[in-house]
């Protein structure tokens, strides 16, 4: 599963770079930092959610979704909005 997830993430990163070059949108360093932090938190959440479900701890799995999943989604939404606004300006 992690191999396929790594391949998918590589394809998404490559597509993001190609889209950035095609639309002349500049990616700032903080876009990458915030995006990687959000992605790392999201992967951490997914792994711990499935591990908690496998162990039979449904409350723990929901807490992982709330405590680490929600901030991960918020960080990724912030990066998306930054890129969308920058693309709209140019």
């Amino acid at each position: 599963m992690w191999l396929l997830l790594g391949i998918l993430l590589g394809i998404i990163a490559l597509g993001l770079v190609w889209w950035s070059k095609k639309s002349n949108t500049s990616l700032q360093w903080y876009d990458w930092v915030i995006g990687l932090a959000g992605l790392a938190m999201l992967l951490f959440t997914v792994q711990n959610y499935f591990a908690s479900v496998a162990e039979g701890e449904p409350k723990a799995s929901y807490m992982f979704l709330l405590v680490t999943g929600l901030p991960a989604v918020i960080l990724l939404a912030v990066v998306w909005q930054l890129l969308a606004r920058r693309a709209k300006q140019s």
Side-chain angles (χ1 to χ4, degrees):
M1 179 176 123
W2 290 107
L3 175 67
L4 295 176
L5 188 62
I7 291 170
L8 180 66
L9 290 176
I11 290 170
I12 290 172
L14 183 65
L16 180 66
V17 171
W18 278 350
W19 171 80
S20 171
K21 291 190 184 282
K22 181 181 173 187
S23 65
N24 291 331
T25 303
S26 63
L27 293 171
Q28 301 296 324
W29 65 271
Y30 51 85
D31 295 335
W32 288 106
V33 170
I34 297 170
L36 289 175
L39 183 63
M41 285 179 67
L42 188 65
L43 291 175
F44 178 72
T45 302
V46 168
Q47 191 273 331
N48 283 308
Y49 172 77
F50 285 121
S52 295
V53 168
E55 289 181 2
E57 295 288 338
K59 282 188 177 182
S61 63
Y62 296 136
M63 288 303 292
F64 271 112
L65 288 177
L66 180 66
V67 173
T68 59
L70 187 62
V73 171
I74 290 171
L75 285 176
L76 292 174
V78 165
V79 171
W80 175 63
Q81 280 298 312
L82 286 172
L83 289 177
R85 289 180 185 181
R86 202 171 299 126
K88 190 176 183 182
Q89 285 179 354
S90 62

